[in-house]
Amino acid sequence: MEFGPHLMLAMIEGAVMAAVLALMASGLSLVFGVMRVVNVAHGEFYMLGAVAAWVVTDLVGAGPAWSFAAALILAPLCIGTLAAAIDMSVLKRLSYDPERTIVATIGLLYILQQATLMGYGADARPVAAPFDTRIALPWVEWAQGGLALYWPWGLSVTAYKLFVIAAAIVILLGLRLLMTRSRIGLVMRATRIDGEMALAFGIPVERVYALVFGLGAGLAALAGVLVVPISQAHYLMGGDALLLSFIVVIIGGLGSLGGTIVAAILIGMGEGIVSVFFSPTLAKIIATLLVALVLVFRPQGLFGARAR
Amino acid sequence: MRGETARSIALHGGLIAALVLGHFLLPEYHHGNLARIMVLAAYAIGYNILFGYTGLLSLGHAMFFAAGMYGLALGIRHLGLTPGPALLAGIAAGATLSLVVGLLALRTVGVAFMIVTLMFAQAVHLTILLAGRWTRGDEGFVIQPAQRNLWGIDLSQSDARYLAALALFVLTLALCLWLVRSRFGRVLVAVRENEERTRLLGYDTWAHKLGAVVISGTLSAAAGAAYALLFGYAGASFATVQYSILPLLWVLLGGAGTVVGPFLGTLFMFYLIDWASGVTSAYMLVAGVALVLLTLFAPQGMAGLVRARLWRGLP
């Protein structure tokens, strides 16, 4: 295949990655923005979402489409509830002290990871995509007598990948509406701006925190569910995802949802394209160093407001 | 103050005497374990200088440990160095790396500092994997016993290994004790307690923090180099995030900001995991539970409890 079509495939891969990353990172960013808590166990919620998707589809067993739809609803709900329970039993008792919550969520990471290893096993397991049509992609070429459209052999994408991109857009729009238009969103924003003042105005800040932590974990779990039909569920899949979403959240500016999405697109596309054409390890090293340097020289991120 | 000094000498001298006695009394299995624990405790002491005394939480200390380890191991393997110069090469590698990382990472504070150190460490880990031709990546490589002969002492023998580990441990312990009682160490504690006020008093807090990063990184590198030399193995797994988190765990468990805390934590955690891996395969589960329980119920750790209840002057 020539360069052009190849690049297009890489860009679609990148867009899928960007969609998953945007979901996951907005969960991380939401939790940091409202609660000032860096959740190191966020990658494990993503992994749990993927594992839960496998469990649910295995239990339902009513054809790929129905069981996947069940997983799409049940898995984030369960993981979100689990996270809210963790918030109330552990994080609340640490009174959300930044350093102690980091240590506690590191502990949580190991607990969730090893519990999954013991309950689910070390195998990577696949989930059937709800639909598996392949869509052939057209390519434009300068032929004799002007532009011509043709369908190169093998240039195609599964409909499921396009569905992931669309689903992420819908969910993120929904999240934005929730944050800007609903009463819950108003309460969350009030808590983010000044927790003590919100408490004084009668907002149950602790319940809002539990809700936010649950919502953040639910978004990660949702990303996990969406990714299983593409790349299987495995108990160690949280690590890389966590690092990438850290990168996205930092580049986008800690706590800024819009910046997070822009950064997810940048990083997802970049990673997709670079790892198709170059060595993935080298790409990761460069990305990691770049992010560290962004944080060093521009602590508020590329799009974040100046830290107060 | 003089009574304090006497008690401090009694405590640390007693610990060292017990370890010397252990050399003659311990059965073989625990003898080997303790040698490993003392090297890892030296790493934890290095970590504690930054985390416990200066109050900077680094999540990337594995890069310093690995710098020491690979500085020594690659020196022996590819440059044909003898263990003496190789040990120095490992320590120098750690010192240089910690200076560079310190200069960059100290521009950030709090959460950003943790993330920046984590990312630098990740970059180092990935670099070791990328340079697999020389480092053999995750698989690692063995340093032959014949190449581990330091000044005529064969460090692959268990007796020599124990005594060498003890020497390293005593050296780092003494250095740490001296440091925290020195003027420099007191300023570090002041930075931990209230950086703003320390700066107002006229101290250059940035230079002190940089000094703490370099000392801490260099000690960690020395432990890493010693680990490779004593146990004859270097591998990329020692540069993973897990090896950055373990010293944090040991220090928290033993008591952050105390001299003996890191040793107590390392000893306790080593045997806890040793015991747990006999019961269940998922020993990291135990480590995770320990971390959560520690943050919830005993944020000062074991030596911290002693300091709060029994002896306020515990260094």
Side-chain angles (χ1 to χ4, degrees):
Chain A
M1 225 184 295
E2 319 120 81
F3 179 75
H6 214 129
L7 180 69
M8 187 155 109
L9 273 190
M11 281 174 71
I12 293 176
E13 289 298 321
V16 173
M17 184 146 190
V20 173
L21 264 182
L23 281 180
M24 203 179 152
S26 53
L28 195 66
S29 177
L30 185 71
V31 169
F32 181 81
V34 177
M35 301 163 71
R36 301 278 130 187
V37 161
V38 175
N39 178 16
V40 186
H42 198 67
E44 301 323 298
F45 291 131
Y46 166 77
M47 176 274 289
L48 282 178
V51 169
W54 183 84
V55 173
V56 171
T57 46
D58 197 48
L59 285 179
V60 175
W66 283 109
S67 42
F68 187 78
L72 208 52
I73 295 166
L74 284 177
L77 269 182
C78 296
I79 310 300
T81 318
L82 173 75
I86 289 171
D87 171 75
M88 289 195 283
S89 55
V90 178
L91 299 186
K92 193 176 97 181
R93 282 149 157 267
L94 300 175
S95 45
Y96 304 103
D97 174 71
E99 293 199 347
R100 286 169 72 198
T101 48
I102 284 195
V103 178
T105 49
I106 290 172
L108 212 59
L109 183 162
Y110 286 134
I111 294 175
L112 294 177
Q113 202 177 72
Q114 293 295 326
T116 313
L117 175 63
M118 287 158 82
Y120 166 86
D123 311 328
R125 294 178 198 178
V127 166
F131 32 82
D132 53 0
T133 4
R134 290 192 80 84
I135 301 171
L137 296 172
W139 183 251
V140 188
E141 189 153 284
W142 192 260
Q144 284 173 330
L147 280 174
L149 205 65
Y150 79 112
W151 278 261
W153 188 82
L155 187 63
S156 66
V157 63
T158 58
Y160 181 73
K161 284 187 178 166
L162 298 181
F163 166 73
V164 170
I165 300 172
I169 295 174
V170 170
I171 294 164
L172 288 171
L173 280 177
L175 181 69
R176 197 182 150 71
L177 282 181
L178 179 80
M179 288 302 285
T180 51
R181 295 291 151 83
S182 74
R183 214 185 123 67
I184 295 178
L186 183 70
V187 166
M188 280 193 226
R189 278 181 291 146
T191 316
R192 173 175 70 198
I193 292 165
D194 192 336
E196 275 176 34
M197 196 54 97
L199 194 62
F201 272 94
I203 291 173
V205 169
E206 282 183 349
R207 257 193 287 165
V208 174
Y209 278 1
L211 180 78
V212 167
F213 200 70
L215 187 63
L219 281 169
L222 205 55
V225 177
L226 285 173
V227 99
V228 218
I230 301 172
S231 71
Q232 312 198 327
H234 184 250
Y235 83 105
L236 286 176
M237 67 194 281
D240 273 355
L242 175 73
L243 202 73
L244 272 177
S245 39
F246 260 153
I247 292 180
V248 164
V249 171
I250 291 166
I251 296 267
L254 281 166
S256 134
L257 272 180
T260 303
I261 291 165
V262 175
I265 295 169
L266 270 177
I267 300 285
M269 297 295 269
E271 170 102 0
I273 293 171
V274 169
S275 51
V276 165
F277 292 107
F278 302 97
S279 143
T281 314
L282 187 64
K284 262 192 218 160
I285 294 177
I286 294 170
T288 326
L289 283 179
L290 274 181
V291 170
L293 292 178
V294 164
L295 200 53
V296 165
F297 292 105
R298 209 181 139 76
Q300 70 272 35
L302 291 182
F303 306 96
R306 258 182 54 78
R308 272 166 298 147
Chain B
M1 202 61 200
R2 171 174 278 174
E4 284 289 300
T5 309
R7 282 177 83 173
S8 166
I9 287 173
L11 173 74
H12 299 101
L15 174 64
I16 292 164
L19 287 172
V20 172
L21 214 60
H23 174 56
F24 300 104
L25 297 180
L26 283 175
E28 203 182 322
Y29 175 66
H30 296 286
H31 187 268
N33 276 352
L34 209 58
R36 205 173 286 258
I37 289 171
M38 284 188 290
V39 175
L40 294 176
Y43 178 27
I45 287 176
Y47 186 81
N48 192 28
I49 289 175
L50 193 65
F51 171 61
Y53 286 100
T54 321
L56 290 169
L57 203 166
S58 146
L59 287 179
H61 254 52
M63 66 181 145
F64 304 131
F65 192 76
M69 176 173 264
Y70 278 98
L72 174 118
L74 294 180
I76 290 181
R77 192 179 158 92
H78 295 292
L79 303 176
L81 295 181
T82 52
L87 197 61
L88 290 182
I91 294 172
T96 318
L97 182 66
S98 55
L99 182 67
V100 173
V101 168
L103 280 172
L104 288 170
L106 281 177
R107 297 173 55 102
T108 63
V109 288
V111 172
F113 181 78
M114 299 172 207
I115 296 172
V116 167
T117 48
L118 178 75
M119 295 201 148
F120 279 129
Q122 189 68 15
V124 168
H125 176 220
L126 289 170
T127 309
I128 293 174
L129 291 184
L130 188 71
R133 245 177 85 198
W134 297 284
T135 60
R136 297 183 48 96
D138 259 334
E139 205 179 305
F141 57 84
V142 169
I143 304 167
Q144 297 305 326
Q147 293 169 319
R148 284 154 53 196
N149 206 316
L150 184 65
W151 303 314
I153 306 163
D154 184 2
L155 291 174
S156 55
Q157 294 293 312
S158 70
D159 279 352
R161 177 190 294 167
Y162 186 93
L163 293 176
L166 182 62
L168 173 78
F169 176 67
V170 170
L171 211 66
T172 43
L173 191 75
L175 194 76
C176 177
L177 199 56
W178 170 77
L179 183 78
V180 302
R181 293 170 65 101
S182 72
R183 199 180 137 88
F184 184 81
R186 304 242 180 245
V187 177
L188 292 187
V189 175
V191 168
R192 177 186 75 193
E193 295 302 328
N194 191 337
E195 187 176 347
E196 207 59 36
R197 183 178 290 184
T198 314
R199 191 168 35 235
L200 280 179
L201 286 174
Y203 291 102
D204 185 351
T205 55
W206 195 83
H208 279 82
K209 288 198 291 186
L210 185 63
V213 172
V214 173
I215 293 170
S216 173
T218 310
L219 281 182
S220 303
Y227 196 95
L229 188 61
L230 294 182
F231 302 100
Y233 174 77
S237 59
F238 289 102
T240 53
V241 184
Q242 197 183 329
Y243 263 81
S244 295
I245 290 172
L246 282 174
L248 170 68
L249 181 61
W250 297 327
V251 166
L252 274 175
L253 184 64
T258 62
V259 176
V260 289
F263 175 74
L264 291 179
T266 315
L267 183 75
F268 187 82
M269 204 64 215
F270 191 93
Y271 276 101
L272 184 66
I273 286 176
D274 193 52
W275 165 79
S277 47
V279 183
T280 150
S281 57
Y283 68 87
M284 284 317 286
L285 187 66
V286 178
V289 173
L291 270 177
V292 173
L293 291 181
L294 272 174
T295 48
L296 277 177
F297 300 110
Q300 322 97 326
M302 296 195 282
L305 285 178
V306 172
R307 180 186 275 166
R309 299 273 158 79
L310 298 171
W311 179 14
R312 285 197 54 78
L314 180 73

